[in-house]
């Protein structure tokens, strides 16, 4: 009954605000029909882009980074991101064009860079009202769940129209979803169980199983290690604050672990076998290869080889590719030490907030910090729209927490 009331309330709120309606529609279509990094963006991606523009509005878009009169009052992350955004749309573009790089690859790199800068555009929109934040969080969780469903049911013709690899299970939102609902289970098990909390525990467990099953289909070691680390941190923080309350969740988790022990043993064995066979997937060699390319000249070391640049990657058998498996090496290759430095400063300010959330809001903080960290070091999902959503969530949730602890206006 309460859920129905919530649905009606927020449904009316969405339909009464046309910009919010466009925004939620874009997220819904993205989760159902699109993918994090499509090889050949088509009509669906174009339609999603138009919906985002209609939601944010032209005025809201340019005010996100052109209101120089208010620069002094802006938070550090935003000032750094503004400089990074202006740099990324000037020097790397010019270098890429002068180097005669493929126009399509230049555009793909620029789109990925815009996703990295997404908080610049989304924060002013989402921070307008707490309902915007709630709907954004629910929509992001929906995307993670629906990506998982699409991975698990690829035989449905509705979901298998595209021949390209969609990499849905690699999405940071799928990992975020798994961690969020798993942490939610532990949180509610700490309290005295009643009908309501029991239903939430069961529902959250089912919601956590879907993304974990999807990640198992396209086996990613870092994701499962992140889940294990997150559970350890949640229990560790819980035992420090209230050890007696954590006994019941521990018993339940042990029972669940016993029930699913064949699957857990299989995951551990798969991690061991894959590690013994491929190690770290040539990540170290890839870092060295990027460094050698960056060191070709003092100019390329400082400013990079521009958007569209490619190199022979040891991680994919020496093929020439335009991406790396780490945001750090990617920005070094494309934008040089200048762009990399700005990126690391920007990400440091967000990392600082993510770490604080781990201790203040363990459920959301632990669910966010791993999807935030893994693309920086290990996976190429930093180029996805999903990664921009993760960065935005960290900033918005941190603002929510700070404004709950003191009498302040909710500003990011």
């Amino acid at each position: 009954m309460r859920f129905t009331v919530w649905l009606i309330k927020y449904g009316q709120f969405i339909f009464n605000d046309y910009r919010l309606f466009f925004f939620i529609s874009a997220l819904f279509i993205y989760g159902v029909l699109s993918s994090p990094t499509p090889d050949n963006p088509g009509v669906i991606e174009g339609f999603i882009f138009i919906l985002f523009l209609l939601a944010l509005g032209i005025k809201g878009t340019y005010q996100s980074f052109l209101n120089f009169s208010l620069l002094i009052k802006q938070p550090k992350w935003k000032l750094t991101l503004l400089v990074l955004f202006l740099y990324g749309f000037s020097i790397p573009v010019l270098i890429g064009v002068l180097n005669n790089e493929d126009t399509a690859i230049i555009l793909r790199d620029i789109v990925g860079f815009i996703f990295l800068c997404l908080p610049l555009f989304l924060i002013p929109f989402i921070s307008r009202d707490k309902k915007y934040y709630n709907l954004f969080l629910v929509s992001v969780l929906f995307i993670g769940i629906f990506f998982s469903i699409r991975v698990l049911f690829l035989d449905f013709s509705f979901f298998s129209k595209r021949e390209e690899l969609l990499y849905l299970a690699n999405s940071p939102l799928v990992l975020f979803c798994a961690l969020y609902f798993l942490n939610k289970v532990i949180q509610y098990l700490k309290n005295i169980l009643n009908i309501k909390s029991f239903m939430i525990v069961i529902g959250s467990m089912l919601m956590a199983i879907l993304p974990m099953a999807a990640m198992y289909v396209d086996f990613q070691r870092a994701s499962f290690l992140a889940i294990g680390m997150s559970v350890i941190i949640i229990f560790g923080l819980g035992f420090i604050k209230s050890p007696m309350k954590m006994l019941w969740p521990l018993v339940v988790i042990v029972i669940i672990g016993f029930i699913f022990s064949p699957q857990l043993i299989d995951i551990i064995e798969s991690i061991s076998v894959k590690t013994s066979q491929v190690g770290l997937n040539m990540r170290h060699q890839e870092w060295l290869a990027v460094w050698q390319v960056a060191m070709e000249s003092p100019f390329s070391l400082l400013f990079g080889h521009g958007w569209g640049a490619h190199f022979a990657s040891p991680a994919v058998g020496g093929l020439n590719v335009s991406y790396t498996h780490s945001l750090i090496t990617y920005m070094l290759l494309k934008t040089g030490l200048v762009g990399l430095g700005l990126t690391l400063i920007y990400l440091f300010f967000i990392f600082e907030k993510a770490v604080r959330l781990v201790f203040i809001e363990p459920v959301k903080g632990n669910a966010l910090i791993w999807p935030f960290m893994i693309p920086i070091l290990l996976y190429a999902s930093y180029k996805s729209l999903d990664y921009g959503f993760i960065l935005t969530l960290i900033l918005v949730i941190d603002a929510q927490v700070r404004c709950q602890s003191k009498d302040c206006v909710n500003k990011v």
Side-chain angles (χ1 to χ4, degrees):
M1 180 66 182
R2 192 172 177 181
F3 175 74
T4 306
V5 173
W6 183 91
L7 204 59
I8 293 171
K9 175 185 173 183
Y10 276 86
Q12 290 174 340
F13 184 71
I14 293 170
F15 282 104
N16 289 335
D17 187 333
Y18 74 92
R19 291 178 64 187
L20 183 60
F21 174 77
F22 289 139
F23 183 67
I24 298 300
S25 298
L27 295 179
F28 177 81
I29 295 170
Y30 173 66
V32 174
L33 295 175
S34 189
S35 66
T37 52
D39 292 330
N40 301 295
V43 176
I44 293 170
E45 286 72 30
F47 187 54
I48 292 170
F49 174 70
I50 292 170
L51 287 175
F52 273 128
L53 282 183
L54 291 172
L56 298 177
I58 297 174
K59 183 179 178 182
T61 301
Y62 80 75
Q63 279 186 345
S64 296
F65 57 95
L66 290 182
N67 198 344
F68 291 102
S69 62
L70 297 176
L71 276 182
I72 224 162
K73 300 178 181 178
Q74 298 301 324
K76 294 175 183 177
W77 71 264
K78 192 169 186 179
L79 290 173
T80 309
L81 181 54
L82 175 60
V83 176
L84 174 62
F85 184 85
L86 295 175
Y87 174 80
F89 263 84
S90 55
I91 304 299
V93 175
L94 183 61
I95 294 173
V97 171
L98 292 176
N99 287 341
N100 291 317
E101 300 292 355
D102 190 302
T103 304
I105 299 177
I106 291 176
L107 290 174
R108 283 178 63 84
D109 283 345
I110 290 173
V111 170
F113 177 68
I114 292 173
F115 292 158
L116 183 67
C117 301
L118 209 58
L120 201 60
F121 308 99
L122 286 188
I123 293 292
F125 180 76
I126 296 170
S127 300
R128 293 170 61 188
D129 192 300
K130 191 174 181 180
K131 292 191 182 74
Y132 279 61
Y133 155 71
N134 290 334
L135 287 167
F136 179 59
L137 177 61
V138 170
S139 299
V140 165
L141 289 169
F142 165 81
I143 293 170
I145 290 295
F146 219 88
F147 276 2
S148 305
I149 292 172
R150 289 170 63 185
V151 171
L152 296 172
F153 299 100
L154 281 175
D155 289 338
F156 288 3
S157 60
F158 179 70
F159 296 135
S160 58
K161 290 178 181 178
R162 296 190 179 192
E163 295 180 359
E164 65 186 69
L165 296 173
L166 300 182
Y167 301 107
L168 298 176
N170 293 356
S171 164
L173 297 187
V174 172
L175 177 58
F176 168 69
C177 225
L179 292 169
Y180 179 85
F181 285 112
L182 192 60
N183 294 339
K184 205 80 173 170
V185 170
I186 298 171
Q187 180 194 45
Y188 273 90
L189 284 173
K190 289 194 300 184
N191 305 317
I192 298 173
L193 279 178
N194 51 35
I195 295 297
K196 177 188 171 183
S197 59
F198 178 75
M199 294 302 293
I200 291 174
V201 166
I202 296 299
S204 297
M205 180 57 72
L206 292 174
M207 290 296 100
I209 287 173
L210 277 172
M212 285 193 288
M215 288 188 296
Y216 184 72
V217 170
D218 187 9
F219 192 76
Q220 298 293 336
R221 288 172 290 173
S223 297
F224 285 104
L225 289 172
I227 290 172
M229 289 295 295
S230 181
V231 170
I232 291 170
I233 290 172
I234 287 284
F235 272 102
L237 292 174
F239 274 113
I240 291 171
K241 292 179 181 178
S242 50
M244 295 306 295
K245 284 188 175 182
M246 295 305 297
L247 292 178
W248 175 234
L250 183 60
V251 170
V252 173
I253 291 294
V254 169
I255 292 172
I256 292 172
F258 180 76
I259 293 171
F260 290 98
S261 58
Q263 288 78 13
L264 292 174
I265 292 170
D266 189 37
I267 290 171
I268 294 169
E269 287 179 348
S270 298
I271 290 175
S272 301
V273 170
K274 190 171 182 180
T275 302
S276 65
Q277 290 176 343
V278 300
L280 295 176
N281 284 337
M282 305 291 286
R283 295 296 192 263
H284 175 65
Q285 289 83 347
E286 184 182 68
W287 282 58
L288 292 176
V290 170
W291 180 249
Q292 288 175 356
V293 174
M295 287 283 288
E296 286 179 359
S297 72
F299 183 86
S300 64
L301 181 61
L302 276 176
F303 303 107
H305 288 267
W307 301 131
H310 52 275
F311 78 113
S313 174
V316 289
L319 294 175
N320 271 317
V321 293
S322 61
Y323 67 91
T324 74
H325 290 87
S326 161
L327 176 58
I328 294 174
T329 51
Y330 175 81
M331 293 304 287
L332 176 62
L333 174 68
K334 309 276 183 170
T335 67
L337 288 176
V338 175
L340 174 61
L342 290 169
T343 303
L344 291 178
I345 295 169
Y346 160 54
L347 293 175
F348 172 76
F349 290 133
I350 299 180
F351 173 73
E352 196 178 34
K353 297 176 187 299
V355 171
R356 183 164 57 240
L357 286 176
V358 169
F359 296 97
I360 300 174
E361 282 274 351
V363 171
K364 294 174 184 174
N366 270 283
L368 284 166
I369 195 164
W370 301 107
F372 167 73
M373 288 298 299
I374 289 174
I376 295 175
L377 300 171
L378 297 172
Y379 293 163
S381 48
Y382 54 81
K383 294 182 69 175
S384 67
L385 179 61
D386 305 16
Y387 193 62
F389 289 156
I390 292 293
L391 299 177
T392 303
L393 271 176
I394 292 172
L395 291 166
V396 174
I397 294 173
D398 176 73
Q400 292 281 341
V401 169
R402 283 189 286 109
C403 286
Q404 285 172 5
S405 61
K406 42 185 170 176
D407 187 18
C408 66
V409 179
N410 180 25
K411 290 184 179 179
V412 180

